[in-house]
């Protein structure tokens, strides 16, 4: 099929939206390692997990055999307010780059939270409501997850308590106000409102916080307050499951035009958008039906895949959460405050970690100045102001397209444009003023936090 027959935007009808999420784990021969109880070093049981998480989400977390899980009508109806999201052919970017590559991006920024996170937020809030809970607690870094969860909770009438990484709380006051507008309470983390927050503040006075700290605080509050559970916006299997809606839609759209991607690229913080985008494609790869190059892109300042260790580790700094076997920089790793672009989590989804370990996907890391250079180019040519996180994927998509220019190969590249950057203007300002620099942790720094990994025999 010739290029021109593919429209700039491939939209699906509501009826073409997926009716089930796809659970990638069902097709994995080597399943991701189970979450482990930090005290007993035994796999977490449903009962133990149920003290922290909603019951039905625990079932989804533990289910690594059911390939398709039906999306409840209530969630599907909510999805219809902002989905299906478009798959865009980046004709203008191709033209600018003078590349024979065909570039597509799946745009998830078309909702107030400004990112893909709403796909899982509404699902998690729905199951909390169904269980009759009063509310949920969570952490947020850059603020997209907190905003998405606030929106979902407002819609369903649930209370929402958000622990926001202090540096973001201070840098992004408008993000905080959006959450409050949706009825959430927002506390800068680490805070004096929890035992673990007090402990972290005593040990690291003046810390700007980390996702790991904020998770510890949110879990503590959920466990101590009857009628509350903790919800997490990335990393967990259940989140990747909900995000499979991204990949399923993308695949349906591509199939409509008989397009088969060669390279699929996504940014990786905890792995949820990437896990969701690649899900049906990786499924085909695992079943031996097709082959794709799949590339995870992470910041050079927080390089879990490319420089981390595949081991059991805590997901939080306070070491109260279950252990997950993942590529990790160590739960005590705190990315440099200089780092502007999100994707600050020290670990990675257990599912993606296992797939990477088994050679089903690649990973690469990029420095933030080159990320913002790609963001600026993309904004000027494709019109959308991208989130810095998403711009990691843009960077590598552009680099792959430029390689095609050299070799003359007409590869088809699909990348995830996870969100918009309206709340990241402090970072854009730094870039525009020429004040952004790159920070790459030394081997010694990484070794020091990896040395503190829990000892498991
Ligand atoms: C949260 C976020 C990410 C990274 O999280 P993943 O779980 O790795 O997908 C990427 N882009 C945007 C816009 C985000 O909000």
């Amino acid at each position: 099929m010739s290029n021109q027959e593919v429209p700039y935007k491939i939209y699906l009808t509501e009826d073409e939206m997926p009716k089930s999420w796809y659970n990638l784990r069902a097709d994995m021969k080597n399943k991701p390692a189970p979450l482990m109880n930090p005290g007993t070093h035994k796999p977490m049981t449903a009962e133990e997990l149920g003290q922290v998480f909603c019951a039905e989400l625990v079932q989804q977390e533990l289910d690594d055999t059911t390939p398709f899980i039906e999306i409840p009508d209530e969630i599907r109806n909510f999805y219809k307010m902002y989905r299906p999201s478009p798959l865009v052919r980046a004709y203008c970017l191709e033209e600018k780059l003078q590349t024979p590559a065909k570039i597509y991006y799946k745009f998830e920024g078309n909702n107030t939270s400004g990112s893909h996170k709403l796909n899982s937020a509404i699902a998690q809030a729905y199951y909390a409501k169904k269980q009759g809970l009063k509310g949920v607690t969570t952490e947020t870094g850059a603020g997209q997850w907190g905003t998405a969860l606030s929106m979902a909770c407002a819609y369903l009438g649930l209370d929402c308590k958000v622990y926001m990484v202090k540096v973001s709380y201070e840098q992004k006051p408008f993000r905080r106000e959006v959450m409050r507008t949706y009825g959430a309470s927002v506390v800068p983390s680490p805070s004096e409102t929890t035992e673990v927050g007090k402990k972290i503040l005593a040990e690291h006075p003046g810390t700007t916080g980390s996702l790991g700290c904020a998770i510890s605080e949110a879990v503590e509050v959920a466990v101590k307050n009857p009628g509350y559970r903790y919800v997490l916006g990335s990393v967990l299997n259940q989140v990747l499951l909900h995000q499979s809606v991204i990949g399923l839609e993308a695949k349906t759209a591509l199939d409509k035009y008989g397009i088969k991607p060669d390279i699929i690229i996504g940014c990786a913080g905890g792995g949820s958008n990437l896990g969701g985008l690649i899900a049906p494609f990786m499924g085909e790869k695992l079943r031996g039906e097709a082959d794709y190059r799949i590339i995870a892109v992470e910041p050079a300042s927080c390089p879990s895949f490319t420089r981390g260790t595949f081991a059991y580790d805590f997901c939080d700094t306070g070491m109260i959460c279950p252990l997950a076997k993942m590529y990790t920089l160590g739960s005590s790793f705190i990315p440099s405050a200089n780092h502007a672009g999100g994707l600050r989590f020290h670990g990675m989804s257990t599912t993606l970690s296992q797939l990477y370990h088994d050679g089903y996907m690649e990973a690469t890391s990029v420095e933030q100045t080159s990320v913002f250079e790609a963001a600026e180019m993309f904004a000027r040519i494709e019109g959308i102001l991208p989130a810095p996180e998403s711009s990691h994927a843009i960077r590598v998509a552009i680099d792959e397209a430029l390689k095609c220019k050299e070799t003359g190969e007409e590869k088809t590249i699909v990348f995830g444009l996870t969100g918009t950057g309206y709340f990241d203007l402090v970072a854009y300002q730094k870039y525009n003023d020429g004040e952004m620099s790159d920070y790459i942790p030394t081997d010694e720094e990484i070794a020091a936090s990896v040395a503190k990994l829990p000892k498991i025999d």
Side-chain angles (χ1 to χ4, degrees), residues 114-117 144-145 233-235 267-274 343 387 389-390 418-420:
S115 83
H116 64 287
K117 296 216 170 59
Q144 287 96 322
W145 167 246
S234 182
V235 185
C267 61
S272 75
N273 87 81
L274 179 64
L343 311 174
E389 292 91 335
S390 324
T418 50
T420 46

Side-chain angles (χ1 to χ4, degrees), residues 21-29 31-32 59-69 237 241 287:
W21 293 300
Y22 168 57
N23 181 9
L24 179 56
R25 289 166 289 161
D27 283 308
M28 290 170 68
K29 275 196 210 83
K31 305 291 184 192
Q59 293 313 317
Q60 294 181 356
E61 192 62 31
L62 296 175
D63 185 342
D64 56 16
T65 53
T66 312
F68 290 98
I69 294 173
N237 293 325
L241 175 74
R287 296 190 301 270

Side-chain angles (χ1 to χ4, degrees), residues 51 137 193-196 217-228:
Q51 290 162 16
T137 70
T193 67
T194 64
E195 293 308 315
V196 65
E217 293 203 85
V219 170
E220 181 182 319
V221 173
V223 172
K224 285 187 176 164
N225 286 287
Y228 282 80

